[in-house]
Amino acid sequence: MSATQRRSLPDRRRSREIFAKAEKVLVGGVNSPVRAFRAVGGEPLIIEKGSGQHLYDADGNALLDYVCSWGAILLGHAHPAVSAAIADQAQRGTSFGVTTELELELATLITIAMPFLEKVRFVSSGTEATMSAVRLARGITKRDFIVKFQGCYHGHADSFLSQAGSGLATLGIAECPGVPQALAALTLNVPYNDLNAVEQIFAQHKDKIAAVIVEPVAANMGVVLPRDGFLKGLREITRKHGALLIIDEVITGFRLHYGSAQQIFGVQGDLTTMGKIIGGGVPVAAYAGRAEFMDHVAPLGPVYQAGTLAGNPLAMRAGIATLKELSKPGLYEGLNALAKNLAAGLQKALKDAGIAAQVNSIGSLSTIFFASQPVTDYTGAKRSDTKLYARFFRDMLQRGIFLAPSQFEAAFVSASHTSADIDRTISAAADALQAIAAQPSA
Ligand code: HOZ
């Protein structure tokens, strides 16, 4: 049987047993809701190991991975240089709770790649980075409101859980119980790509908005690109009103090239948040900006933020090794060319199957929306036929290809994927889409 023919993962008995046990001691059998596959059906995966572009489940089934730890893995799983750095550091100690030269080294690599950043504070997750950046913006401006965009996701801190993308969009959670109303009221949501709405919200809340936080490419409602001038418009509006612009590069940092999305779109935020890739698959995130802003953070300033494991040496070693690999000439050119072929191939497969859909893509990020109109915001993303996406996801998984288990996430290509992998994926998608077109309600 060819790799592209429809088939079930041959045996899932062990995975099934593990998940059944996990459900008894872990909430929903998972440690993050998006892993539960609730929106796409099918059985959640239990992964035993990863190597390059593949994951291997507990039954030994190989999966071609386009989730790549939600974008944290750019080099591929268990990259030799990253694994060696982690193993070496493990021999020297895993946490000291005081500064190491490694923190200086990773911060220096980041500020060289993104020269508009002068000072970095490492934390352990993207949520901590965005939450701390918002606190800092509030501390500097002495204002309380923040503006975010519908369908963007900035982690799970209280301020970000209204009209958010990612797992909240996946599970249909519009507002999160447990977030005090008084705090939720300080978050103002506007449609992505809509500068008029941003202007209006500033007019309504004159001199009260501390910051606008934005994903420069939205990747948590599926991939949605910024319209021409959108990010620059945000820059002008925030500057005019004395608010800070926080650019959340947790997904886009080092994803599109060796640097930030801000350099690609010709805009500079006041604060930048990062995560995922800068830790090479080990928990690292950061917020950063010019010294005039960052020096408000304790111990230099009064805005408090701390962490026992912040700047953790294992994580720093993984991040340093990752960035050194990523800086090698040609890496992004090759990766982005592969991803471009994938997007084009998927577009053709959809057209050939006569299925109305949009493939939104940039660099190695992409999403298929089963929607007839271009998707430029959360309203458009929600118009996508999520049942069709779920069917496509399951059909692809049966063919050994692991896409994001939600319409409202991105597919990630890694530097380990090959053109043979891309061809195989396109061919599997063509088969799956033809089957869907022949029997839409199967
Ligand atoms: N930012 C990721 C989803 N878009 C996080 C994955 C998770 O929620 O587990």
Side-chain angles (χ1 to χ4, degrees):
M1 185 166 61
S2 87
T4 58
Q5 281 174 296
R6 190 186 175 102
R7 62 180 183 204
S8 295
L9 292 179
D11 185 358
R12 297 228 48 229
R13 266 175 299 178
R14 187 146 186 277
S15 298
R16 224 165 268 153
E17 273 168 30
I18 294 171
F19 191 71
K21 286 184 188 160
E23 279 186 294
K24 297 204 169 81
V25 288
L26 301 172
V27 181
V30 295
N31 276 308
S32 195
V34 291
R35 300 176 195 173
F37 290 21
R38 292 271 163 118
V40 287
E43 297 167 293
L45 295 174
I46 304 292
I47 296 303
E48 203 164 84
K49 65 172 187 179
S51 176
Q53 68 278 48
H54 292 109
L55 293 175
Y56 297 86
D57 74 7
D59 296 282
N61 299 304
L63 295 163
L64 183 55
D65 184 17
Y66 287 101
V67 174
C68 293
S69 190
W70 307 90
I73 299 294
L74 196 148
L75 288 170
H77 298 283
H79 186 282
V82 180
S83 298
I86 295 169
D88 180 62
Q89 185 58 42
Q91 303 288 325
R92 298 163 186 253
T94 55
S95 183
F96 309 123
V98 289
T99 299
T100 63
E101 196 174 0
L102 301 171
E103 292 153 71
L104 163 67
E105 194 176 346
L106 186 56
T108 303
L109 287 172
I110 291 171
T111 53
I112 289 172
M114 304 181 189
F116 55 95
L117 303 177
E118 290 173 355
K119 287 197 177 174
V120 178
R121 168 61 62 89
F122 287 115
V123 291
S124 299
S125 72
T127 294
E128 270 187 88
T130 51
M131 179 182 82
S132 307
V134 163
R135 181 182 302 142
L136 178 55
R138 284 175 165 150
I140 292 169
T141 59
K142 311 213 179 332
R143 299 171 177 184
D144 289 342
F145 284 90
I146 60 163
V147 174
K148 72 174 265 299
F149 293 91
Q150 295 162 356
C152 281
Y153 178 75
H154 305 287
H156 65 88
D158 286 353
S159 297
F160 303 128
L161 294 183
S162 59
Q163 300 180 48
S166 189
L168 290 102
T170 304
L171 298 173
I173 300 172
E175 308 291 329
C176 175
V179 176
Q181 251 317 307
L183 185 59
L186 297 177
T187 299
L188 308 168
N189 276 286
V190 289
Y192 195 74
N193 273 326
D194 188 344
L195 286 175
N196 285 336
V198 179
E199 285 280 19
Q200 273 172 28
I201 213 98
F202 270 94
Q204 284 161 15
H205 297 82
K206 232 176 171 0
D207 302 332
K208 292 194 177 132
I209 296 173
V212 171
I213 184 164
V214 67
E215 295 178 71
V217 173
N220 286 288
M221 54 176 128
V223 172
V224 174
L225 272 59
R227 280 206 176 104
D228 270 358
F230 174 60
L231 297 170
K232 284 188 176 156
L234 293 182
R235 180 64 284 180
E236 281 162 25
I237 295 169
T238 45
R239 195 166 276 146
K240 184 167 87 189
H241 292 277
L244 300 197
L245 180 59
I246 303 171
I247 305 220
D248 181 358
E249 300 238 23
V250 167
I251 287 182
T252 52
F254 293 97
R255 168 55 58 184
L256 306 176
H257 73 130
Y258 190 76
S260 71
Q262 296 168 68
Q263 291 155 307
I264 290 178
F265 292 106
V267 66
Q268 273 178 25
D270 298 304
L271 297 173
T272 296
T273 55
M274 282 163 278
K276 300 199 191 266
I277 292 171
I278 62 164
V282 181
V284 183
Y287 60 109
R290 292 197 303 281
E292 64 174 296
F293 297 129
M294 294 303 292
D295 286 354
H296 288 256
V297 177
L300 295 186
V303 179
Y304 199 75
Q305 176 273 312
T308 299
L309 294 175
N312 173 268
L314 272 185
M316 294 294 109
R317 287 294 296 272
I320 292 162
T322 298
L323 294 197
K324 284 188 172 161
E325 289 297 313
L326 293 181
S327 68
K328 291 185 174 164
L331 186 133
Y332 284 94
E333 286 79 356
L335 169 63
N336 291 345
L338 275 187
K340 200 170 174 187
N341 289 345
L342 175 64
L346 292 174
Q347 235 144 11
K348 181 171 182 314
L350 285 157
K351 193 161 174 246
D352 290 349
I355 295 175
Q358 315 292 323
V359 181
N360 283 6
S361 70
I362 179 169
S364 53
L365 292 170
S366 66
T367 298
I368 297 178
F369 291 101
F370 291 93
S372 54
Q373 297 301 314
V375 175
T376 59
D377 60 15
Y378 191 37
T379 304
K382 284 197 292 187
R383 272 195 213 111
S384 180
D385 185 338
T386 52
K387 286 206 175 77
L388 215 50
Y389 182 87
R391 163 94 186 272
F392 180 62
F393 166 85
R394 290 194 302 272
D395 283 12
M396 291 297 275
L397 194 60
Q398 283 177 328
R399 291 169 165 83
I401 293 168
F402 180 35
L403 300 175
S406 164
Q407 173 70 84
F408 304 108
E409 301 286 358
F412 298 91
V413 181
S414 81
S416 287
H417 284 77
T418 63
S419 42
D421 294 325
I422 300 300
D423 290 347
R424 180 183 152 213
T425 306
I426 293 167
S427 173
D431 289 353
L433 292 165
Q434 292 290 346
I436 290 172
Q439 256 190 309
S441 56

